Amino acid sequence: MAHTPPHTVKIVEQSKVSPPPGSVPTTSLPLTFFDLLWHLCCPMQRLYFYSFPHPTQLFYQTLLPNLKTSLSLTLQLFFPFAGNLLCPPSPARPHILFSAGDSVPFAVAQSAADFHRLIADDPRDVLELHPFVPKLPPARAEGDTRVVPLMALQVTVFPNSGISIGVTFCHVAADGRAFHHFMKSWASVCKSNGDLRCIEKSAPFRGRDSIKIPAEVELDVLKDFWDWASVKNEDQGPVDLATNNKLAGKVRATFVLGQAQIEGLKHWVMNQCNEEELEALHISTFVVTCALLWVCLITSQEMELSKPSAQDEPYFFVFSGDCRNRLEPPVPSAYFGNCLAFCIVSVNRNELLGGNGIVAAVKAFGKRVEELESHGALEGAENWMREWKEILEKYHFATVAGSHKLGIYETDFGLGMPKKSELVHTDVSGAISLSDKRDGANDGVEFSLALSRTQMDHFNAILEERLKIIVV
């Protein structure tokens, strides 16, 4: 299938934004156990769309200078994003280094694309969003050390309609909570016209020594990291929109589950269980949402096959759990870095596709979440990287990115809440993107995914059918 030509953007300015001179000393931050797990992950790409129904000239005169100034001020606190990841040869440990003059690439672009189409929920070619996210500068070699930039930004203007703020960053620098802490801090400083007092009480905590991991676990994961890095092409480079097979024929769509639907789903699951099962059941918005989406996704995949698989093989779902309040001692909620447990659930195909597939999935998710609470966040941590590699290579799996608890739609640069936010890299990774709803009601969830157009039609029909049966 031929690709639809992506929207073209005109890059009108390329600059670099650093923290104010002299505001940050040269600082080295070692990668923790949790950071190492994400080192070989593809770069994260997020877009925020904001209404700006004004002439382009007004953007250049007012908003753009404020975006740059507030970014520079905010980078004083979140300076690792302006630094680089340094990867010396094995067995040395990778680390993040910020030096004077380090900066974040900042591009300004213009586009004639239809802003209102870009923020719509209905299926559209995945290529439509990719021109609005920046590309990280390529990694470079300094002697025998690999130097990897960690963040790039692009602001695109849609004349008389709106703007988008595109961010690409390496997961090794920060998890979702830390990244959105940065974005909301930058937005608050921009909204306050450069007044850093607005974020004084929410400064990031960078104390890497607060992460207490058994030494033998760290050594196991570091060995797995080097074994995997030695055979994996770490610098994947930018996605080639014209030839990337993972994007061919895909469409992206966004769906919303309201609070009433989620509560109805919870009650339906409870009604399918006996008293003994209810006592052991862990039901949350995240659990029931992922269970519903997993079953709908697998069912739609089966409908795509000319001959459905007859094997009752294990299907896997991979997600992450925040460990900040699950470690001993706990890590501050404002910790800047990665602090995520690697979580896997498995349900056999026939059970997942059976009449009680959603209930089976809820039980599997709930059991894993309970294990996080009762057994500790680090249970089996020495095997996480190997397990992930094995699943990638051998099994059917689904995964989720983001969370409905991160307050993504609270990111207000003085333009109001975003009209839409999208995780663009999931077009390639295949993950389901999960977030809070954009209506400000602080309930329900919003999710996006990229599938072939036929599978998307199947998924949409299956989801609607399930909700009609379950939510009455």
Side-chain angles (χ1 to χ4, degrees):
M1 174 182 274
H3 282 309
T4 301
H7 296 299
T8 58
V9 296
K10 178 184 178 183
I11 302 294
V12 296
E13 178 186 315
Q14 289 182 319
S15 60
K16 296 180 178 180
V17 177
S18 303
S23 63
V24 182
T26 297
T27 306
S28 177
L29 296 172
L31 294 196
T32 70
F33 159 81
F34 289 110
D35 298 325
L36 285 169
L37 295 171
W38 298 100
H39 185 196
L40 300 175
C41 179
C42 71
M44 306 293 101
Q45 298 175 312
R46 181 168 284 279
L47 274 172
Y48 300 81
F49 290 95
Y50 294 90
S51 177
F52 192 77
H54 308 292
T56 302
Q57 193 60 33
L58 185 64
F59 165 80
Y60 289 113
Q61 292 174 348
T62 59
L63 183 55
L64 180 58
N66 195 11
L67 284 170
K68 288 184 175 180
T69 300
S70 57
L71 174 60
S72 174
L73 293 170
T74 307
L75 284 173
Q76 291 179 83
L77 301 176
F78 296 87
F79 60 83
F81 277 139
N84 293 282
L85 173 66
L86 271 61
C87 302
S90 171
R93 194 186 193 99
H95 61 281
I96 294 173
L97 179 66
F98 175 85
S99 303
D102 282 349
S103 59
V104 175
F106 190 102
V108 181
Q110 289 184 204
S111 175
D114 185 343
F115 179 80
H116 299 288
R117 172 177 170 79
L118 294 175
I119 63 174
D121 289 347
D122 55 300
R124 71 270 192 208
D125 195 303
V126 293
L127 297 180
E128 293 190 20
L129 294 182
H130 284 257
F132 310 117
V133 290
K135 295 177 176 59
L136 284 170
R140 63 184 188 276
E142 292 186 357
D144 56 3
T145 296
R146 186 177 180 80
V147 181
V148 184
L150 294 174
M151 177 173 276
L153 294 162
Q154 178 179 317
V155 180
T156 304
V157 186
F158 306 89
N160 301 306
S161 298
I163 68 164
S164 68
I165 297 177
V167 191
T168 299
F169 72 99
C170 289
H171 206 317
V172 69
D175 60 18
R177 182 175 293 278
F179 167 72
H180 290 293
H181 185 186
F182 160 71
M183 288 300 298
K184 284 186 275 191
S185 297
W186 176 23
S188 295
V189 176
C190 183
K191 187 175 181 179
S192 67
N193 293 309
D195 189 349
L196 277 175
R197 290 176 298 179
C198 68
I199 60 171
E200 280 181 351
K201 295 181 180 179
S202 61
F205 176 78
R206 293 182 297 273
R208 300 295 173 104
D209 57 356
S210 65
I211 302 288
K212 305 296 184 183
I213 304 292
E216 61 273 16
V217 174
E218 291 239 26
L219 288 174
D220 280 347
V221 170
L222 193 59
K223 180 181 182 301
D224 288 341
F225 162 78
W226 282 119
D227 287 346
W228 199 356
S230 66
V231 298
K232 184 176 174 69
N233 179 12
E234 193 178 323
D235 185 16
Q236 304 275 334
V239 173
D240 187 335
L241 299 182
T243 62
N244 190 283
N245 291 331
K246 291 185 178 181
L247 298 180
K250 276 190 175 182
V251 295
R252 165 184 282 264
T254 302
F255 303 83
V256 174
L257 292 176
Q259 189 64 28
Q261 291 174 305
I262 290 172
E263 291 303 319
L265 181 56
K266 290 178 182 179
H267 285 116
W268 180 85
V269 170
M270 293 172 65
N271 289 335
Q272 308 302 306
C273 301
N274 59 42
E275 289 187 13
E276 183 179 346
E277 290 173 324
L278 282 174
E279 290 181 4
L281 207 60
H282 177 95
I283 294 184
S284 68
T285 295
F286 175 82
V287 165
V288 297
T289 298
C290 285
L292 172 65
L293 300 186
W294 191 17
V295 169
C296 292
L297 184 62
I298 297 301
T299 306
S300 67
Q301 287 174 352
E302 289 282 312
M303 295 176 71
E304 282 276 86
L305 300 175
S306 57
K307 184 179 180 181
S309 172
Q311 295 179 327
D312 189 19
E313 56 186 319
Y315 277 32
F316 293 87
F317 196 104
V318 183
F319 65 98
S320 56
D322 195 331
C323 292
R324 285 167 174 78
N325 63 346
R326 292 176 169 134
L327 295 176
E328 192 59 47
V331 175
S333 61
Y335 174 74
F336 183 80
N338 287 281
C339 196
L340 298 173
F342 184 74
C343 303
I344 304 171
V345 298
S346 174
V347 179
N348 280 358
R349 173 191 173 275
N350 288 354
E351 190 176 8
L352 198 62
L353 295 176
N356 281 323
I358 293 175
V359 177
V362 166
K363 290 178 181 178
F365 279 111
K367 180 182 178 182
R368 185 65 184 94
V369 173
E370 285 295 337
E371 287 173 352
L372 276 179
E373 305 295 347
S374 60
H375 297 173
L378 297 176
E379 178 80 11
E382 65 276 11
N383 300 317
W384 286 351
M385 191 171 286
R386 271 169 284 174
E387 289 174 347
W388 177 228
K389 184 173 184 288
E390 182 179 4
I391 289 172
L392 277 175
E393 294 175 348
K394 296 183 180 180
Y395 297 106
H396 294 282
F397 73 94
T399 184
V400 65
S403 169
H404 65 292
K405 292 185 176 181
L406 296 178
I408 295 164
Y409 284 100
E410 298 170 5
T411 312
D412 181 3
F413 285 85
L415 303 172
M417 69 173 58
K419 294 297 182 183
K420 189 77 176 290
S421 184
E422 298 268 23
L423 266 181
V424 180
H425 68 272
T426 58
D427 292 343
V428 175
S429 72
I432 300 167
S433 169
L434 192 65
S435 78
D436 50 318
K437 282 169 60 184
R438 80 200 81 158
D439 60 8
N442 200 30
D443 60 9
V445 299
E446 180 175 303
F447 66 93
S448 299
L449 69 170
L451 305 169
S452 71
R453 184 169 290 278
T454 303
Q455 188 182 347
M456 185 68 78
D457 290 340
H458 291 323
F459 177 87
N460 188 29
I462 295 163
L463 178 64
E464 289 184 357
E465 180 185 4
R466 297 273 179 166
L467 290 175
K468 285 178 182 177
I469 296 172
I470 293 170
V471 182
V472 294

